[in-house]
Amino acid sequence: MVLVYLPYWITRFRIPAAEPQWQTLMAGVLIVAGLTPLLESIRRFVLVGRGTLMPTVPTERLVVSGLYRHVRNPMYVGVMVALVGEIILFKKLDLAVYAALAWLGVHGFVCFYEEPTLKRRYPEDYARYKQNVPRWLPRLSAWQDAEN
């Protein structure tokens, strides 16, 4: 929905005719780089957390491995990176406005629903995790949790 349907509705996936090759390549790199944490997170939620991305079927345990050792929301960061790639590729101001609104929506969802839910579901583990791993800007070194 966020990366395909709505961007298609806005751009019809029409790349401007005079798009420089380096710009198309840079956009492609960003899109792939953004999809990578999204797909890795889905896999990790199923295999490690034994759950899904859907709030109605949450993970059985807090997922703090893989990319989650660098940033608390790698999936959302990846989606935003891919959207920036789409903005560069399609050069549509409407897509940039959409991305900004999507970011505000994701940030609100994380702050007002996801984090309070995780705090209630995993009180001690999430508090320690939240103290050590940033929400949006990845830390360079992976967090080493002694208990995990």
Side-chain angles (χ1 to χ4, degrees):
M1 186 75 153
V2 173
L3 288 176
V4 177
Y5 178 73
L6 291 173
Y8 175 78
W9 183 73
I10 293 169
T11 68
R12 296 293 184 243
F13 289 160
R14 290 192 183 105
I15 301 170
E19 180 96 359
Q21 188 174 13
W22 69 266
Q23 205 166 344
T24 304
L25 181 61
M26 184 173 72
V29 166
L30 287 172
I31 291 168
V32 169
L35 290 175
T36 300
L38 172 65
L39 297 174
E40 199 277 337
S41 293
I42 292 169
R43 181 183 140 310
R44 191 162 299 277
F45 268 48
V46 172
L47 298 178
V48 175
R50 294 191 199 134
T52 70
L53 303 177
M54 298 181 345
T56 55
V57 187
T59 58
E60 292 176 7
R61 56 184 161 185
L62 184 64
V63 176
V64 295
S65 59
L67 295 173
Y68 288 89
R69 295 171 56 203
H70 295 273
V71 65
R72 290 197 313 257
N73 299 291
M75 186 179 352
Y76 300 135
V77 171
V79 167
M80 295 315 297
V81 167
L83 273 175
V84 168
E86 289 181 343
I87 292 166
I88 292 168
L89 182 64
F90 299 115
K91 294 183 184 169
K92 294 287 267 179
L93 180 60
D94 292 349
L95 191 56
V97 170
Y98 162 69
L101 293 173
W103 175 252
L104 287 173
V106 164
H107 183 69
F109 177 75
V110 165
C111 290
F112 298 113
Y113 173 77
E114 195 168 83
E115 288 183 349
T117 300
L118 291 170
K119 184 178 176 181
R120 280 190 308 275
R121 190 167 170 95
Y122 313 103
E124 292 172 20
D125 291 339
Y126 189 69
R128 189 173 60 254
Y129 178 62
K130 191 174 174 181
Q131 256 182 337
N132 290 285
V133 179
R135 181 187 289 147
W136 299 122
L137 296 176
R139 49 184 285 156
L140 296 178
S141 62
W143 176 50
Q144 301 296 324
D145 182 14
E147 293 184 29
N148 288 324

